[in-house]
Amino acid sequence: MLTKRVIPCLDVKEGRVVKGVNFVGLVDAGDPVELAGAYDREGADEVVFLDITATSDNRDTTIAMASEASRRLRIPYTVGGGFRDLAGMVAMVAAGADKVSVNSAAVRDPELLTVAARAFGSQAVVCAIDAKQTGPNAWEVYTAGGRTPTGIDAVRWAEEAARRGAGEILLTSMDRDGTKEGFDIPLTRAVSRAVPIPVIASGGVGTLEHFAEGVLDGEADAVLAASVFHFGTYSIRQVKEYMASQGIPVRLDF
Amino acid sequence: MAIVVVDYHKGNLSSVARGLVRAGGEALVSDRPEAIAAADAVVLPGVGSFADAMAYIDESGQGDAVLDVIAAGRPFLGICLGLQLLFDRGNEGAGDDGREWVEGLGVLSGSCTRLESARLKVPHVGWDSLDVTPLGRRCPLLDGVPEGTNMYFTHSYAVADDADPSVVAARTYYARSFPSVVWHGSVFGTQFHPEKSSGTGARVLENFVRITQGAA
């Protein structure tokens, strides 16, 4: 049976992991590829590297990281953040990224999803959506790292992204991100039901129950978290064992 | 014992090559038909669509080189699309120029078609389990890979029900039951990506490297 995925997300700035990381036994805890390798050994199903480098000048560092990751990682990885056009995505895939995640650039130019899907296949194109609640069962898409409201309905945008060729939706609730109050379940469920492609729930995980809720109530295909893993609150195995205890199929043979 | 990873210019193959090196093999990536034909063993990775890949492989001469290697009984491993290309035909991308089917390498008999489901999400992305057949329990590629092992899949097409059942070493169920490992003589194929399947995938690559060494 297809298992539900557990995905740690690493924020990377100029080739270095940004948030503090509590990991025993790492030679260099700031090296994103080394940290991702540790997550692989702990049972992560994939990893996401989110490039938060402010300027595009240092893009080469991120490409070098992607290339290093393709040599050293034994699980799939996504690189997201900072893509402006197809050329940038092509360079990242050529460096070895299994998937590229695009956010603001796709809102600006939705055709980008179509040309990217044609170039690499839908399985390599993730549309990241940052959404903020505006009313009961209504969420608005924000771009530029959550700074710019767009007036676009998040569920509609997810549908369009899927139609245009995105292979997955990485859905982050801005209301919940960093709160540890759990995923925005109505948002996750609304998007998951609206699109025929996998949805990765993101933003707000604080407890083991939250991971299971994302799948059972939010109907997500994968759950993503950052700080609870980095700070060592839970190990990936702990999360997966809890999910399994709630009847969720997960990969535990690692 | 050089294993040549066939490069048909559709994607980055460093993870496949590095996976083989980690597994103890000597691997190099090449697009040259002469290098492929002279290889001790060949890995055909999976990138792009069936129609695109076959067009390139045919035109470049890589297809004939692969067939020479297989005819000579040297070990061959097809990964993902590389498994599908072993079969008679596929319809992924065939409609782009009005055809119903694109011919594959024809090493194994059967067709490759899209996974269709009204209920499930396609592509089939993520970790899914192997249902090992009696043939698979004797298959050297699956040595030490227990029933139910999870591997990483990412695909929308798979081998169809018309496949010769005598070559199916494992099956996986998603939308329909499809062959996820095939084996015939020195020819092996995996629908999943062993190079992306962590420790369990590494075991498969180690087995393949051992097969290439045993065939020396």
Side-chain angles (χ1 to χ4, degrees):
Chain A
M1 187 190 272
L2 183 63
T3 58
K4 301 295 178 180
R5 290 168 282 159
V6 177
I7 307 175
C9 177
L10 307 177
D11 285 353
V12 178
K13 191 173 182 182
E14 286 160 20
R16 305 287 294 168
V17 176
V18 177
K19 288 177 188 159
V21 173
N22 251 340
F23 244 98
V24 185
L26 288 188
V27 177
D28 177 1
D31 173 2
V33 180
E34 179 160 0
L35 182 54
Y39 282 133
D40 166 18
R41 290 187 292 279
E42 263 206 339
D45 295 313
E46 294 181 25
V47 289
V48 170
F49 297 107
L50 185 62
D51 184 17
I52 56 166
T53 306
T55 64
S56 56
D57 309 345
N58 290 313
R59 216 46 190 164
D60 290 352
T61 321
T62 313
I63 288 175
M65 179 203 71
S67 153
E68 186 62 19
S70 80
R71 284 191 291 271
R72 283 166 48 191
L73 286 188
R74 306 180 303 172
I75 52 174
Y77 68 97
T78 302
V79 180
F83 291 112
R84 296 178 169 195
D85 50 26
L86 184 68
M89 299 165 80
V90 167
M92 205 59 78
V93 170
D98 296 287
K99 311 179 198 184
V100 282
S101 165
V102 60
N103 188 333
S104 307
V107 173
R108 220 163 27 239
D109 174 20
E111 181 66 13
L112 185 58
L113 296 169
T114 312
V115 292
R118 208 176 290 141
F120 330 120
S122 285
Q123 84 292 336
V125 181
V126 179
C127 182
I129 299 177
D130 291 341
K132 199 176 166 70
Q133 187 155 18
T134 53
N137 291 311
W139 299 269
E140 181 179 357
V141 176
Y142 274 64
T143 58
R147 288 190 297 274
T148 315
T150 64
I152 299 169
D153 178 78
V155 178
R156 288 268 172 75
W157 170 230
E159 286 171 337
E160 180 177 353
R163 207 163 46 238
R164 285 182 177 271
E168 276 183 284
I169 302 287
L170 198 180
L171 180 66
T172 303
S173 160
M174 293 175 51
D175 302 301
R176 294 302 179 90
D177 205 20
T179 65
K180 301 201 183 301
E181 289 173 6
F183 295 117
D184 183 333
I185 295 299
L187 167 68
T188 308
R189 188 167 46 217
V191 171
S192 205
R193 287 186 177 175
V195 297
I197 56 176
V199 172
I200 304 165
S202 158
V205 165
T207 67
L208 292 173
E209 289 79 6
H210 292 156
F211 283 99
E213 283 164 13
V215 171
L216 297 174
D217 303 330
E219 301 177 18
D221 300 278
V223 283
L224 178 144
S227 54
V228 292
F229 293 134
H230 302 334
F231 297 128
T233 317
Y234 305 113
S235 70
I236 300 214
R237 181 177 283 278
Q238 253 179 311
V239 168
K240 287 186 156 186
E241 283 175 349
Y242 180 79
M243 288 170 75
S245 78
Q246 301 304 300
I248 300 169
V250 290
R251 177 178 69 104
L252 281 164
D253 54 338
F254 48 83
Chain B
M1 281 311 294
I3 303 168
V4 171
V5 179
V6 179
D7 181 4
Y8 44 100
H9 301 275
K10 295 284 176 197
N12 184 301
L13 306 176
S14 58
S15 59
V16 177
R18 285 294 289 243
L20 289 163
V21 169
R22 262 197 302 266
E26 189 190 313
L28 57 104
V29 176
S30 178
D31 61 355
R32 293 173 41 240
E34 315 83 72
I36 297 163
D40 298 311
V42 166
V43 173
L44 186 63
V47 268
S49 74
F50 195 100
D52 280 357
M54 269 320 291
Y56 186 88
I57 280 172
D58 271 344
E59 196 182 321
S60 62
Q62 291 176 347
D64 287 337
V66 163
L67 290 173
D68 286 350
V69 166
I70 290 173
R74 278 174 268 158
F76 173 93
L77 174 63
I79 296 174
C80 192
L81 178 62
L83 168 153
Q84 297 176 19
L85 296 175
L86 285 169
F87 285 80
D88 288 327
R89 64 190 85 80
N91 59 6
E92 184 186 11
D96 296 354
D97 48 11
R99 290 176 293 176
E100 191 184 350
W101 295 101
V102 171
E103 243 181 77
L105 291 169
V107 174
L108 303 176
S109 79
S111 323
C112 302
T113 55
R114 193 174 159 83
L115 298 171
E116 297 287 359
S117 173
R119 190 175 57 84
L120 294 169
K121 300 185 173 188
V122 176
H124 176 220
V125 182
W127 297 77
D128 211 333
S129 52
L130 302 184
D131 181 3
V132 179
T133 66
L135 176 77
R137 286 195 272 280
R138 300 194 305 272
C139 178
L141 192 71
L142 295 180
D143 186 32
V145 177
E147 167 69 19
T149 297
N150 287 298
M151 298 288 187
Y152 185 78
F153 292 81
T154 172
H155 63 122
S156 298
Y157 285 74
V159 177
D161 290 345
D162 63 351
D164 175 1
S166 74
V167 302
V168 178
R171 306 186 71 87
T172 294
Y173 192 90
Y174 190 80
R176 66 171 189 250
S177 168
F178 62 84
S180 45
V181 180
V182 296
W183 172 39
H184 180 67
S186 60
V187 175
F188 302 87
T190 62
Q191 180 58 61
F192 60 85
H193 287 267
E195 78 283 9
K196 293 288 172 187
S197 298
S198 195
T200 48
R203 178 80 202 206
V204 170
L205 294 177
E206 284 158 17
N207 287 340
F208 184 69
V209 167
R210 210 166 26 242
I211 291 162
T212 68
Q213 288 161 350

